[in-house]
Amino acid sequence: MRFYNPSITLLNYFAIDCKKCIMSLNLYLILYLGAALSQLHAHKVDWPLDEWKIIDPGFNSKTHEFKETIFAVANGYLGSRGTFDEGTPANTNSCSGTYLNGVYSKHAIEYGESAYGFAKENHQILKVPDGKDIKIFIDEFEFKAQLDHVDNERYLDMSTGILTRVIILKTQNNKLLSVKSNRFASLTHSNLLCTEYEFTPLNFDGHINIQSVLSTEEHNSIESDDPRVAELSLASSLELYSHYNDELSTCLVHKIKNTPQSVASAMLHQSCVNFTVEPQASDENNSKTRLKINVEQGKKYTLSKYLAYADSLDNAQNLQNTVLEYLKKASEIGFKELSQLHTQKIVSFWQQADVKIEGDISLQQAIRFNQLSLFLSVGKDGKRNISAKGITGPGYEGHYFWDSEIYIIPYLTYTQPEYAKSLLLHRYHSLNKARDRAKEMSHDTGALYPWRTIGGEECSAFFPAGTAQYHINAAVAYAVRCYYRATDDFDFICQFGGEMVFETARLWLELGHFSSYKNNQFCIDAVTGPDEYTAVVNNNFYTNAMAKMHLLFAVEIAQLMQNKAPKIYKHLCENIKLDENEITLWFTAADEMYLPHDETLNISPQDDGFLAKKSWDFKNTPKEKYPLLLNFHPLVIYRHKVLKQADVVLAMYLLDEEFDIELKKNNLAYYEPITTHDSTLSTCIHAVEYAETGDSERAFDFFSQTVKMDLDNSHNNTEHGVHTACMAGSWIAIVNGFAGMRVRKTGLFLSPSLPKEWPSFSFLMQFQGKTIEIEICKNDTKYLLKNGSELSLTHFNQKIILKEGIKHIALNQTTGA
Ligand code: BGC
């Protein structure tokens, strides 16, 4: 049984889902009160300091569910929460689950009051049968979670990517058994979740029984009327198609309700010693295997458990064979080799992307945790993206947002460009759905990407903070530009990027207009910018500025393709019926783009009406009233000058060349005091902008908040998944913030400054197929080109040419002057 935790019911977001629309007012009040209480009773974990490990300091029922997120294992395809194998301790919240990224169930959105064009169906990341359950018996004595433990150790080794747990169990008649388990979701065999158990009887001979279960039963049956949480149940999304059992393996095939898809889950055991399999009553919800191992005191006995998952549009019968094949392969390779292969991937990842912070183990630990989580959460095959919560929990229903394009793709571009490309390909594959959505939104041409989705259709049931965020289109173009500038991958532009950028660029002309009321400047009305505490406004500065960037980039690549690949370009233009007049219009709209400016304050108004609004009474808003979205009706918030997250300030960073330092400083000084940072996407951007404008103290403070957001559970909802955009943001704060890294049309630029708290920091980055190691010390920066013959970059104003293997030392200057 699970104790109701209100924070899952109130996702940190306005884009609340469908059923919420029909919830009674009473239920709202109960939920809101509950959420406020959870804020007051947030429990933090004091993580022992270790550069390469996340060590569980010990069981605590209040933080157990949160640690299930932190100790989740994943590989981009599947993710499984760090629940205890033996079950959840009594009186403890738990949210068990194994999820498949990009695989989802569909549910009709029920609106109390619907309207034309509202999103019709919601997608939910698929929760599949969990197979982590292992029950251990000695003389029919069953070990119960936490009760029978005399010792309990758990840690994630970030250098190997393996989660280890060691427990010592004690029966009532004092028999002691040590159980060590190692678990990972394989990075080389992405359908596999592998666990190896090592049993050591410490003071007895005899036998142990192990009951292993692959189950559709859930341990987190929530005692709540909240319909959204209920929807996360397996039963509501899966329908059993077939059930297979033999001596060693078990397989369940389910059809995913309301979709043509099926999913298969299977398990297999392998041991170094003979074991006997005892028949067990299994039903279609529980496939049980009971193994008996004869043991001698002091000897080690290993048992490997492989779980395989696969999904497909194929017929379900094939799927069964597919997963059983995966299991057969796993047992042929064996746990040891599978884990070595997995670790090799982790090692090469660090060789490509590691960030080193000298002098602060806690921050070092946190940045590594964030980077590793991103690596394990990102879809790697072009068919899936990265969800806002990774594959670590049910938060945000596994949806993909602009988080991918503005935060995660830039990070991946400079660390693992192949995965940045993979995420872009995922967007490309849903371009047709974006075209359909544009039509549905009454646009004659072009494509409109959904604000939140898994399968490509708009799933946001709350349009003011959903569909109205048209800036998602510019985010896609920005990500393509970022990837292209850093990789020179012109083939990508020809095959995919060009089409995506053109089709999405078209929409600005559909949406905006040359307004006679504003000197015929190009205006965009009724949109929502990144700040979700201000909705459906005219001329959101961020949206207009990003639309301008988007249109100019579209013109740039149209010219480039015309020159470098005329045939492909012609073919594409014919296909999407694009002509020169339209491109000329893009240029004119960009050139005439209206960007709000207030002469008196010398700031950029967030939109046409923002500055005239009433100020928010911050002084009389107590701590427990944050996040505001949980405590005030959206309209109350919309009427005030109050921000959820960086908006104008984000534009200052993303479009850095467009604005001077004075404007950046003024905008920061104006907007930061009225920003709540209620979204985890906010603090990192402030860190970058404070670093750029020379306020290193504030930059450091915002960075520290960002990098430990999940380990500190500072937003009190990490129990339902990590915050992937914020995690990428912590890297952005270091590299784009402290190191001042920018990639412009004219190349790579750095203007580093060292936070006074650190003796030095260094990072590896990928640029145009080359790896550069950059170490920032107080007075100088050391550049080392690790591969590739040479590379030029600009350090402050100085041009530098790096030669492979030769360290270049350049003196630092003061930034933000
Ligand atoms: C933020 C959005 C973000 C979403 C998912 C919301 O709280 O306001 O900008 O896309 O979370 O991370």
Side-chain angles (χ1 to χ4, degrees), residues 107-290:
H107 306 270
I109 300 179
E110 294 170 36
Y111 294 94
E113 216 176 302
S114 189
Y116 176 81
F118 275 21
K120 293 181 190 63
E121 282 181 325
N122 192 28
H123 302 166
Q124 272 182 323
I125 188 167
L126 195 73
K127 192 165 169 181
V128 287
D130 214 330
K132 288 180 312 221
D133 275 26
I134 285 271
K135 304 235 180 294
I136 301 166
F137 301 81
I138 298 178
D139 307 334
E140 295 316 307
F141 174 90
E142 180 191 340
F143 289 109
K144 293 266 170 10
Q146 220 33 55
L147 285 181
D148 312 304
H149 293 180
V150 287
D151 201 4
N152 192 352
E153 204 189 313
R154 176 163 65 157
Y155 58 88
L156 168 70
D157 186 336
M158 298 189 283
S159 67
T160 61
I162 296 194
L163 176 70
T164 299
R165 186 164 176 232
V166 186
I167 46 178
I168 296 182
L169 305 170
K170 188 176 173 192
T171 62
Q172 275 151 0
N173 55 353
N174 291 329
K175 288 189 176 171
L176 290 170
L177 178 72
S178 153
V179 185
K180 178 176 183 187
S181 66
N182 285 318
R183 167 171 300 142
F184 60 91
S186 170
L187 282 165
T188 51
H189 296 72
S190 60
N191 301 72
L192 290 180
L193 180 63
C194 311
T195 312
E196 185 184 66
Y197 297 90
E198 188 183 275
F199 302 102
T200 316
L202 298 178
N203 62 355
F204 69 97
D205 296 333
H207 65 262
I208 52 175
N209 281 309
I210 294 144
Q211 181 180 287
S212 180
V213 184
L214 178 69
S215 170
T216 53
E217 271 177 12
E218 296 182 81
H219 308 294
N220 44 333
S221 45
I222 297 165
E223 288 195 330
S224 155
D225 292 336
D226 183 347
R228 288 169 309 146
V229 182
E231 274 182 8
L232 292 168
S233 75
L234 281 159
S236 64
S237 46
L238 296 181
E239 189 185 315
L240 191 75
Y241 170 80
S242 70
H243 180 197
Y244 167 88
N245 248 345
D246 65 23
E247 267 258 298
L248 294 176
S249 45
T250 284
C251 175
L252 298 171
V253 179
H254 287 95
K255 292 208 175 271
I256 309 173
K257 286 184 191 167
N258 310 322
T259 77
Q261 293 219 21
S262 304
V263 63
S265 334
M267 71 173 173
L268 173 82
H269 303 91
Q270 188 179 38
S271 173
C272 63
V273 288
N274 286 340
F275 55 79
T276 30
V277 181
E278 298 184 342
Q280 278 288 289
S282 289
D283 57 44
E284 56 185 41
N285 293 321
N286 283 299
S287 256
K288 289 184 191 155
T289 305
R290 194 171 162 111

Side-chain angles (χ1 to χ4, degrees), residues 12-13 388 396 401-403 451 532 644-645 679 681:
N12 184 12
Y13 191 41
Y396 288 129
F401 293 78
W402 71 314
D403 304 32
W451 177 245
E532 295 184 349
K644 182 179 181 191
Q645 63 204 99
S679 158
L681 278 64

Side-chain angles (χ1 to χ4, degrees), residues 318-561:
N318 286 350
L319 214 48
Q320 175 170 307
N321 298 338
T322 310
V323 275
L324 290 175
E325 241 344 276
Y326 288 140
L327 289 179
K328 188 163 164 259
K329 187 106 194 135
S331 65
E332 281 162 14
I333 302 174
F335 184 88
K336 194 166 168 217
E337 198 179 329
L338 280 167
S339 68
Q340 281 165 354
L341 291 169
H342 172 77
T343 293
Q344 273 166 24
K345 283 273 178 194
I346 300 274
V347 170
S348 356
F349 160 65
W350 290 121
Q351 281 167 353
Q352 233 176 300
D354 194 23
V355 172
K356 289 198 183 97
I357 297 177
E358 297 300 329
D360 194 322
I361 300 181
S362 168
L363 296 179
Q364 174 70 77
Q365 183 180 37
I367 184 69
R368 287 212 172 109
F369 176 69
N370 292 352
Q371 288 189 269
L372 182 68
S373 298
L374 288 167
F375 181 41
L376 300 181
S377 287
V378 66
K380 300 177 176 64
D381 58 3
K383 295 187 196 139
R384 40 209 113 228
N385 209 294
I386 178 165
S387 104
K389 293 280 197 166
I391 332 174
T392 60
Y396 288 129
E397 299 158 292
H399 286 175
Y400 310 138
F401 293 78
W402 71 314
D403 304 32
S404 303
E405 281 78 13
I406 295 294
Y407 293 79
I408 299 163
I409 292 182
Y411 159 69
L412 291 171
T413 294
Y414 305 118
T415 51
Q416 297 156 287
E418 65 279 23
Y419 299 142
K421 180 174 175 183
S422 164
L423 297 192
L424 290 171
L425 283 177
H426 170 264
R427 282 290 191 196
Y428 178 79
H429 294 316
S430 63
L431 186 55
N432 277 339
K433 291 185 179 170
R435 286 180 172 119
D436 292 346
R437 180 64 177 158
K439 291 217 169 61
E440 193 172 26
M441 291 299 292
S442 309
H443 304 303
D444 291 338
T445 57
L448 173 61
Y449 276 102
W451 177 245
R452 54 186 293 174
T453 187
I454 300 180
E457 291 88 0
E458 177 62 270
C459 291
S460 172
F462 186 64
F463 77 86
T467 301
Q469 297 201 50
Y470 272 72
H471 64 87
I472 177 74
N473 263 16
V476 172
Y478 174 81
V480 173
R481 190 182 84 160
C482 174
Y483 172 76
Y484 175 60
R485 281 186 177 176
T487 59
D488 276 341
D489 188 350
F490 183 62
D491 278 354
F492 175 80
I493 295 292
C494 290
Q495 286 185 58
F496 316 103
E499 189 177 349
M500 256 196 299
V501 171
F502 299 154
E503 286 288 66
T504 45
R506 284 181 143 161
L507 216 79
W508 298 117
L509 271 296
E510 286 280 325
L511 188 61
H513 61 114
F514 294 93
S515 167
S516 53
Y517 185 67
K518 290 234 167 34
N519 281 335
N520 282 332
Q521 284 183 281
F522 193 78
C523 293
I524 301 174
D525 298 331
V527 295
T528 298
D531 164 30
E532 295 184 349
Y533 283 176
T534 309
V536 195
V537 296
N538 296 341
N539 295 311
N540 166 252
F541 179 90
Y542 174 91
T543 306
N544 288 18
M546 289 295 280
K548 177 174 175 164
M549 171 284 301
H550 186 171
L551 291 166
L552 290 178
F553 181 54
V555 174
E556 178 189 326
I557 55 174
Q559 283 164 355
L560 198 74
M561 284 179 76

Side-chain angles (χ1 to χ4, degrees), residues 527-647:
V527 295
T528 298
D531 164 30
E532 295 184 349
Y533 283 176
T534 309
V536 195
V537 296
N538 296 341
N539 295 311
N540 166 252
F541 179 90
Y542 174 91
T543 306
N544 288 18
M546 289 295 280
K548 177 174 175 164
M549 171 284 301
H550 186 171
L551 291 166
L552 290 178
F553 181 54
V555 174
E556 178 189 326
I557 55 174
Q559 283 164 355
L560 198 74
M561 284 179 76
Q562 201 165 22
N563 294 338
K564 282 177 72 176
K567 274 196 195 142
I568 298 177
Y569 179 66
K570 189 165 171 269
H571 184 69
L572 176 59
C573 288
E574 280 165 9
N575 261 350
I576 62 172
K577 300 193 177 54
L578 177 67
D579 65 33
E580 285 310 302
N581 292 338
E582 207 177 334
I583 296 173
T584 309
L585 203 57
W586 291 350
F587 184 79
T588 314
D591 204 35
E592 295 293 327
M593 186 65 70
Y594 171 65
L595 293 178
H597 186 77
D598 185 277
E599 293 295 340
T600 325
L601 299 170
N602 188 19
I603 61 158
S604 320
Q606 191 170 298
D607 57 66
D608 279 355
F610 188 83
L611 298 190
K613 284 184 183 172
K614 191 174 168 189
S615 298
W616 184 268
D617 186 0
F618 285 98
K619 238 170 70 209
N620 291 309
T621 310
K623 235 168 121 190
E624 58 274 14
K625 289 281 185 189
Y626 293 92
L628 300 184
L629 64 97
L630 296 188
N631 295 287
F632 298 90
H633 189 283
L635 280 174
V636 175
I637 301 175
Y638 296 165
R639 287 186 198 116
H640 289 87
K641 271 190 280 194
V642 59
L643 279 74
K644 182 179 181 191
Q645 63 204 99
D647 193 295

